[in-house]
């Protein structure tokens, strides 16, 4: 989508008092950050579909300690979700209410245990921010491809907690990245539906849903209900 202000870039404000670079030390939560451009189309859809899938499979409003958020590299700070994105979420049974757009800031990357981006360009932008983000930042479709190659039996059992399982999943995916490459460059992209008709938003919603399904299954150990 077109950047709302050519003079703006990725946010660099430090909004967390005493913020520190990520070291995997926090044990009470696992934060998943979805990133796109404006944070009004793709990343809100991905955020809310992830939350919906976790709640559907776990039946737990806390989702086992998983926190799902989103932001945009040119985020429309405080903006509502696009109406077509809301419509797509409603068709999936997910809740679009209460969403406001955010510009991607250092603090979001610092806090995230896993960053999933819409495109390779977004991934590169997140990694360029530093904060040891390289090993925990993937495009959504890249992460899906890697997760599908991981034997669930090699992950910590759910009895050890979902946070430990999620961290192990990210480490395993990072270890596979250099060995399991995308068949084409486009295979790791989720294209921007901004300004497109509802039919295109639906196709993007379907892409995102299909990419999320193996990821949520691996995180929770619970397959989607048929």
């Amino acid at each position: 989508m077109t950047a709302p202000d050519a003079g703006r870039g990725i946010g660099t404000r430090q909004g967390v008092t005493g913020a520190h670079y990520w070291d995997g030390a926090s044990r009470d939560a696992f934060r998943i950050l979805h990133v796109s451009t404006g944070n009004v189309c793709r990343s809100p859809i991905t955020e809310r579909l992830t939350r919906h899938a976790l709640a559907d499979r776990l039946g737990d409003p806390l989702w086992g300690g998983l926190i799902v958020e989103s932001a945009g590299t040119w985020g429309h700070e405080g903006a509502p979700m696009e109406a077509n994105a809301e419509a797509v979420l409603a068709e999936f049974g997910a809740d679009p209410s209460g969403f406001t757009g955010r510009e991607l800031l250092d603090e979001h990357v610092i806090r995230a245990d896993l960053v999933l981006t819409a495109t390779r360009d977004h991934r590169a932008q997140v990694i360029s921010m530093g904060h040891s983000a390289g090993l925990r930042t993937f495009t959504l479709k890249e992460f899906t491809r890697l997760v599908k190659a991981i034997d669930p039996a090699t992950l910590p059992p759910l009895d050890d907690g979902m946070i430990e399982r999620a961290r192990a999943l990210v480490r395993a995916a990072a270890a596979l990245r250099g060995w399991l490459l995308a068949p084409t460059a486009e295979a790791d992209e989720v294209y921007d539906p901004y300004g497109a008709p509802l039919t295109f938003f639906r196709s993007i919603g379907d892409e995102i849903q299909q990419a999320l399904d193996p990821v949520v299954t691996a995180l929770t150990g619970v397959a989607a209900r048929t």
Side-chain angles (χ1 to χ4, degrees), residues 181-199:
L181 302 178
T184 65
E186 291 73 24
D188 284 343
E189 304 284 290
V190 175
Y191 291 106
D192 194 350
Y194 185 72
L198 180 58
T199 52

Side-chain angles (χ1 to χ4, degrees), residues 7 18 24 45 48 54 62 73 103 113 142 150 178 206:
I45 290 173
R48 295 306 175 93
L54 289 169
L62 298 178
T73 56
E103 181 182 358
D113 296 280
E142 174 191 22
I150 296 168
D206 287 339

Side-chain angles (χ1 to χ4, degrees), residues 170-226:
V170 173
R171 291 193 297 269
L176 281 175
R177 178 151 42 190
W179 299 92
L180 194 61
L181 302 178
T184 65
E186 291 73 24
D188 284 343
E189 304 284 290
V190 175
Y191 291 106
D192 194 350
Y194 185 72
L198 180 58
T199 52
F200 188 67
F201 269 83
R202 284 179 175 140
S203 70
I204 294 300
D206 287 339
E207 279 187 41
I208 291 171
Q209 176 78 355
Q210 291 171 21
L212 283 174
D213 180 67
V215 174
V216 177
T217 297
L219 285 170
T220 64
V222 180
R225 291 184 289 184
T226 57

Side-chain angles (χ1 to χ4, degrees), residues 82-195:
E82 282 289 298
N84 282 343
E86 290 187 344
V88 167
L89 286 172
E91 290 175 0
F92 278 106
D95 181 10
S97 65
F99 180 85
T100 55
R102 302 193 305 176
E103 181 182 358
L104 181 66
L105 303 178
D106 286 322
E107 64 189 68
H108 303 141
V109 177
I110 289 168
R111 288 178 164 180
D113 296 280
L114 171 63
V115 184
L116 297 176
T117 70
T119 69
R120 292 168 296 149
D121 183 58
H122 296 133
R123 180 185 64 194
Q125 290 180 71
V126 171
I127 292 172
S128 75
M129 295 172 75
H131 315 308
S132 305
L135 292 178
R136 54 198 167 90
T137 302
F138 310 79
T139 73
L140 171 62
K141 289 185 175 180
E142 174 191 22
F143 193 66
T144 300
R145 183 176 67 254
L146 298 171
V147 163
K148 289 168 73 173
I150 296 168
D151 182 355
T154 64
L155 299 174
L158 288 170
D159 289 346
D160 288 354
M162 197 167 301
I163 294 172
E164 290 305 313
R165 184 181 178 92
R167 291 200 174 101
L169 186 67
V170 173
R171 291 193 297 269
L176 281 175
R177 178 151 42 190
W179 299 92
L180 194 61
L181 302 178
T184 65
E186 291 73 24
D188 284 343
E189 304 284 290
V190 175
Y191 291 106
D192 194 350
Y194 185 72

